[in-house]
Amino acid sequence: MLITGTGGQGIVLAGDILGEVAIAAGYDVKKTDTLGMAQRGGSVVSHVRIGSRVWSPLIGGGDVDLLLGFEKLEAARWGHYLRAGAIAIVNNQALLPLSVNLGNEKYPGDSEITGILRQHAGRVVFIDGTARLRELGNMRALNVFMLGCASVFLPFKVYLWHDIISRHISADTRQSNIVAFNRGRKEIRRVNFE
Amino acid sequence: MTAAKQLLSGNEALALGAYHAGVRVATAYPGTPSTEVLEYIARFGDVYAEWSTNEKVAMEVALGAAYAGVRSLVSMKQVGLNVASDPFMAAATTGIDAGLVVVSADDPGIHSSQNEQDNRHYARLAKVPMLEPADSQEAYDFMAYAYELSERFDTPVLMRTTTRISHSKSAVRAERDRVITGGKTGFRYDVAKHVMLPVFARLRRPLIEERLVRLAEYAETSPLNQVWRGERSLGVVTSGVAYQYAREVFPKASFLRLGMTYPLPRDLLVRFAERVDRVIVIEELDPFLQESLQAMGIKVTGKEFIPRTGELNPDIIAAGGRAAGLPVEIPLPEKVSVASELPKRPPLLCPGCPHTGMFFVLSSLGQRARLPKSRPREPRLIITGDIGCYTLGAYPPLSAMDTCVCMGASIGQALGMDKAGIGQKVIAVIGDSTFLHSGITPLVNAVYNEGRIAIIILDNQTTAMTGHQAHPGTGISAQGKTTAAVELEPLVRGIGVKDVRVVGAFDIKELRAAVKHSLESPGLSVIIVRGQCSAGVVRRSVPRAIDIKKCNQCGVCLLIGCPAIQSDYNEVYINGALCAGDACGICQQVCPRQAVVPQSKSGAAG
């Protein structure tokens, strides 16, 4: 499974939570992040491999079953990693790279992004994560919201998710993160699969 | 004790392994991908952990502790070992009095470094044993072996990891408890061992060669090296993360996985090679193992089809394997390459970054910044750079850094250009942590040799790029205690710099005046630019917005390279969720039409 987005969106923590849930459920896990230097703004991707025995921490091209994209361009960037029939869940948000702001490059349109993902993905689901989180008043919980969406397709018990999320989130925002996770589960069930 | 499985990074596992092995002193200078080793070990109350000023000092402190009979650990990134190589070589000569493990985290693929180097060569150079874990469980387990080897063979041990081992997480069962070995802390007087006068160093020299022979004997039967009998047709010799990739690509092959990669077990390798039809070596970076095997007379290939540069992955090994006619078991991916056509997203200086203002000033004075449709101008100023977040100032639109090679190099390079007769006052830009790491000696040198250069120390009061580690200027220890702070201004004055100015990082007018003054003043000058790092600091403040009635879309605000300032369909706006607000205000100062205002007053959409 690939989790993609930009620095500051909580990708690394999302990968950690997913990995720990899978370990707790009795699976072998390897998890690795690819991020450039500095704190924010760059592309970030977390590879999480789950199985009975996992060797390589890096996922090979064409081997991704589930792509969790926190930002549209960053989801499209990894489209070629999807296995035929894979599921792509993409937060319907565009964060413009500097080159686009400066007018040197063009941000791809929605149809282009869908097209890239549809080359392999069996299902592409756009989800208004940012809007739902604004309703919940917790803009920083995108990572657990997206994990909530993914959890519907994964064989792990909900209490495990709640447990591991609680372990990672400080007490004052714990409950609101659980709410965001549950909202993600609800939201993904609501949207129609394209 | 049966511990539950934990998901740990290689660095966490190294720290826990060292802790359980009884480490009492741990030192490091932050550097990706090694930083977390010390961060994790610093959490244990019964370990002394410090951020040292640089890797050389870190090595010396750890060696001192080892001389005092205490198990110690020193950790660094690959280029850190270049800095620490002097005491490292010395430690290899004197040996130790209690276990000393040196963690070197290499960065194949250059994710976050200035070069790609294979530090396995250091083990051969220093003639010390080297261990290479292949996942987090081994990172944990190998630490116990490393300390045992260190003490048994009287040598520092090199624990070599790579980014993919240090930063990957995998399951670890931490079976051991913390055990403190040895007796009381104390120094054993032994001039012939601890004082490397030539006469004593000459006595140590044959002992090192004998040590290597004994270590190679140990390697023959060491559990660190493991053989898996698979099919006879193919035998793979490998180590580190390359082992994981190779198991996936060649699941049916026989394997000799080397956990100890120096010195090598000759008999074990020869026997393995005799029992298979074809031997290949799968290793990242240099043909370190391959050439050793060839020198033993073993017929082997590897680098003929596996790249010498960059990070490996299963796809690369599979492609190489197919080219070499090997039985590759993973399917050829139907690649649809689109990634190259999409806009790139390189890392940027953060919104509210205290480096942005100075770089905007250098960019405009240096004629680097230019509006989207304007023609490039001839650059002015020469700006030698250094290593830190501020190296990002080299990227457009700022484009205000002209060199960056290694820690502390900016000042020496500027002096070199000055002495070469470049005909202008060269500007050296260096961060506070980097200045303390290795900028002080070149400053002493520049004062002594009467350099006419302008030095800018960007003081954001942290080691930001590696994730906000403390340094001697912060007055906070690695374990969160308040400690003595080394103040930059008296330090610089004490070295003999007369022209020292301290400027706030968010005042463009003052920054510009200070740079102009520095460029015009006759001698060596130092500007200390002070402003707190914005990342990780949550401030309650009003974000800025653009008053569209005043804005004429000139694009000047885009030239500061702030990620919060965005432009869509020719309309410039500020993303209020990203803007640092009152703490920064750089865009407000550069806007020629005063169109940037606090969000609440503008009525403009954030």
Side-chain angles (χ1 to χ4, degrees):
Chain A
M1 191 171 148
L2 273 184
I3 308 176
T4 71
T6 73
Q9 288 190 310
I11 305 284
V12 173
L13 179 58
D16 284 350
I17 291 170
L18 170 61
E20 287 180 30
V21 167
I23 288 252
Y27 290 87
D28 190 22
V29 173
K30 285 207 173 137
K31 182 251 173 185
T32 193
D33 310 307
T34 303
L35 53 163
M37 36 192 258
Q39 297 282 315
R40 280 181 207 202
S43 299
V44 178
V45 59
S46 186
H47 298 231
V48 187
R49 302 189 78 200
I50 301 165
S52 52
R53 177 74 166 93
V54 180
W55 298 103
S56 165
L58 284 169
I59 309 179
D63 215 13
V64 171
D65 296 303
L66 180 57
L67 172 83
L68 206 52
F70 286 30
E71 196 272 349
K72 290 192 284 186
L73 169 61
E74 296 311 314
R77 202 183 296 288
W78 294 89
H80 59 295
Y81 264 64
L82 294 175
R83 187 197 296 283
I87 302 165
I89 304 170
V90 183
N91 180 30
N92 199 0
Q93 186 189 18
L95 294 172
L96 306 185
L98 191 68
S99 57
V100 173
N101 286 330
L102 291 172
N104 299 332
E105 286 184 290
K106 210 179 148 292
Y107 194 93
D110 279 359
S111 58
E112 192 182 341
I113 288 170
T114 311
I116 290 166
L117 293 170
R118 283 307 288 260
Q119 284 181 83
H120 283 271
R123 277 184 273 177
V124 180
V125 188
F126 283 96
I127 199 142
D128 287 320
T130 309
R132 295 294 88 76
L133 288 164
R134 193 171 289 129
E135 289 163 19
L136 292 175
N138 187 1
M139 294 303 288
R140 295 173 56 84
L142 180 65
N143 51 4
V144 291
F145 175 89
M146 293 299 288
L147 285 175
C149 298
S151 69
V152 171
F153 300 95
L154 296 167
F156 311 130
K157 299 267 195 307
V158 174
Y159 79 87
L160 275 181
W161 287 102
H162 286 181
D163 221 35
I164 304 285
I165 289 169
S166 302
R167 221 182 285 169
H168 278 277
I169 310 281
S170 63
D172 49 332
T173 53
R174 196 168 288 153
Q175 196 46 43
S176 62
N177 274 275
I178 298 290
V179 169
F181 174 84
N182 292 341
R183 187 62 197 264
R185 288 181 66 84
K186 201 170 128 193
E187 187 70 11
I188 193 80
R189 289 206 170 95
R190 196 181 62 79
V191 296
N192 289 324
F193 292 162
E194 285 178 37
Chain B
M1 150 181 150
T2 309
K5 273 191 185 174
Q6 300 168 264
L7 187 68
L8 296 184
S9 71
N11 284 346
E12 286 173 286
L14 287 171
L16 190 60
Y19 177 73
H20 284 170
V23 161
R24 281 190 278 168
V25 171
T27 63
Y29 181 81
T32 312
S34 70
T35 312
E36 299 83 2
V37 176
L38 194 98
E39 286 186 325
Y40 292 122
I41 213 160
R43 292 178 191 170
F44 297 110
D46 50 348
V47 174
Y48 169 78
E50 72 166 38
W51 292 124
S52 310
T53 31
N54 64 32
E55 294 86 352
K56 177 182 183 314
V57 177
M59 183 78 73
E60 289 155 354
V61 173
L63 182 60
Y67 280 175
V70 166
R71 283 191 169 183
S72 59
L73 178 87
V74 54
S75 169
M76 60 201 68
K77 68 180 294 172
Q78 95 278 27
V79 286
L81 193 49
N82 302 342
V83 178
S85 59
D86 208 2
F88 177 61
M89 297 301 290
T93 307
T94 67
I96 43 82
D97 293 83
L100 170 60
V101 174
V102 179
V103 174
S104 165
D106 287 14
D107 188 19
I110 322 185
H111 294 283
S112 190
S113 302
Q114 69 267 37
N115 70 357
E116 187 175 66
Q117 68 181 42
D118 190 334
N119 275 15
R120 293 180 298 172
H121 297 294
Y122 270 114
R124 190 184 269 153
L125 179 67
K127 300 170 192 285
V128 300
M130 170 169 55
L131 309 188
E132 288 190 72
D135 58 26
S136 298
Q137 181 69 55
E138 289 190 351
Y140 173 80
D141 292 339
F142 282 17
M143 268 296 174
Y145 285 99
Y147 280 99
E148 193 197 310
L149 280 177
S150 177
E151 287 167 2
R152 182 165 152 199
F153 293 94
D154 188 11
T155 175
V157 172
L158 188 61
M159 181 74 75
R160 190 251 190 181
T161 73
T162 56
T163 303
R164 207 50 70 190
I165 294 297
S166 279
H167 281 179
S168 291
K169 293 198 169 187
S170 58
V172 175
R173 220 183 269 285
E175 297 280 10
R176 292 178 282 125
D177 286 315
R178 178 159 165 88
V179 178
I180 308 277
T181 56
K184 289 193 301 232
T185 307
F187 180 62
R188 196 168 51 81
Y189 295 92
D190 186 347
V191 174
K193 180 175 169 63
H194 296 130
V195 182
M196 286 302 98
L197 282 163
V199 60
F200 298 130
R202 254 178 251 130
L203 291 175
R204 295 293 305 171
R205 188 65 191 83
L207 300 179
I208 298 168
E209 296 302 321
E210 284 165 28
R211 182 173 76 195
L212 265 188
V213 172
R214 287 189 294 126
L215 280 163
E217 276 166 26
Y218 164 84
E220 295 287 354
T221 55
S222 169
L224 295 165
N225 300 321
Q226 293 187 329
V227 173
W228 282 267
R229 291 259 159 251
E231 286 177 0
R232 199 194 148 85
S233 56
L234 180 65
V236 183
V237 177
T238 182
S239 69
V241 74
Y243 162 71
Q244 309 289 358
Y245 304 149
R247 280 297 292 253
E248 200 158 303
V249 177
F250 308 110
K252 293 177 186 154
S254 295
F255 274 82
L256 171 47
R257 201 298 307 272
L258 295 161
M260 179 170 171
T261 44
Y262 194 78
L264 290 173
R266 186 176 188 284
D267 292 349
L268 182 67
L269 284 159
V270 168
R271 277 201 314 277
F272 178 76
E274 282 169 357
R275 286 182 198 168
V276 294
D277 299 334
R278 180 176 179 183
V279 187
I280 61 167
V281 172
I282 305 289
E283 59 188 322
E284 232 165 22
L285 302 182
D286 293 338
F288 180 84
L289 299 175
Q290 186 179 353
E291 287 176 356
S292 301
L293 264 61
Q294 283 165 337
M296 292 170 185
I298 299 168
K299 197 166 167 277
V300 59
T301 55
K303 287 299 162 186
E304 290 77 1
F305 52 91
I306 299 293
R308 287 168 187 248
T309 61
E311 193 177 22
L312 297 180
N313 62 40
D315 289 340
I316 292 171
I317 294 173
R322 276 187 207 100
L326 296 167
V328 169
E329 295 283 333
I330 62 174
L332 193 66
E334 300 171 47
K335 280 213 174 150
V336 211
S337 202
V338 287
S340 59
E341 299 153 24
L342 296 171
K344 297 266 185 308
R345 197 189 294 273
L348 300 167
L349 293 176
C350 303
C353 176
H355 303 326
T356 300
M358 180 49 100
F359 275 111
F360 179 75
V361 167
L362 294 173
S363 179
S364 45
L365 290 176
Q367 301 197 155
R368 315 299 173 86
R370 65 187 178 96
L371 295 168
K373 273 155 201 154
S374 68
R375 276 205 321 242
R377 292 178 294 170
E378 195 63 34
R380 294 167 54 190
L381 306 181
I382 299 172
I383 305 158
T384 60
D386 231 297
I387 295 193
C389 286
Y390 50 92
T391 315
L392 299 173
Y395 282 130
L398 294 164
S399 310
M401 185 174 287
D402 304 319
T403 71
C404 167
V405 291
C406 67
M407 293 287 284
S410 58
I411 298 173
Q413 286 182 320
L415 184 70
M417 291 186 189
D418 178 43
K419 297 300 179 190
I422 200 80
Q424 60 172 294
K425 198 167 182 182
V426 179
I427 299 172
V429 178
I430 185 167
D432 51 341
S433 190
T434 309
F435 178 72
L436 293 164
H437 176 284
S438 51
I440 300 170
T441 43
L443 179 59
V444 171
N445 182 66
V447 168
Y448 165 56
N449 289 302
E450 300 188 319
R452 192 181 167 269
I453 57 175
I455 297 160
I456 298 172
I457 303 174
L458 300 172
D459 182 11
N460 63 354
Q461 288 148 42
T462 187
T463 314
M465 181 148 76
T466 44
H468 298 100
Q469 290 75 30
H471 63 64
T474 61
I476 309 277
S477 81
Q479 295 182 296
K481 297 191 185 85
T482 305
T483 178
V486 175
E487 290 176 49
L488 293 182
E489 198 187 336
L491 172 64
V492 169
R493 286 191 193 281
I495 290 169
V497 181
K498 303 277 186 293
D499 185 356
V500 183
R501 290 183 167 210
V502 181
V503 188
F506 300 100
D507 188 333
I508 295 286
K509 208 179 271 180
E510 246 196 88
L511 290 168
R512 189 177 282 125
V515 173
K516 281 189 162 167
H517 162 81
S518 258
L519 290 171
E520 285 154 16
S521 78
L524 188 148
S525 59
V526 171
I527 303 170
I528 299 170
V529 181
R530 192 156 285 152
Q532 240 197 332
C533 175
S534 61
V537 180
V538 185
R539 294 191 190 87
R540 286 189 183 280
S541 72
V542 183
R544 294 296 175 267
I546 292 172
D547 184 341
I548 46 168
K549 291 192 286 287
K550 290 187 190 162
C551 175
N552 67 345
Q553 307 292 330
C554 71
V556 168
C557 59
L558 290 168
L559 297 181
I560 66 179
C562 175
I565 306 177
Q566 306 189 337
S567 157
D568 212 354
Y569 305 105
N570 292 323
E571 184 166 315
V572 182
Y573 63 96
I574 294 174
N575 182 333
L578 295 175
C579 176
D582 302 335
C584 173
I586 300 270
C587 55
Q588 202 167 350
Q589 296 170 59
V590 305
C591 176
R593 294 174 70 93
Q594 285 81 47
V596 179
V597 291
Q599 195 180 57
S600 51
K601 291 180 190 166
S602 72

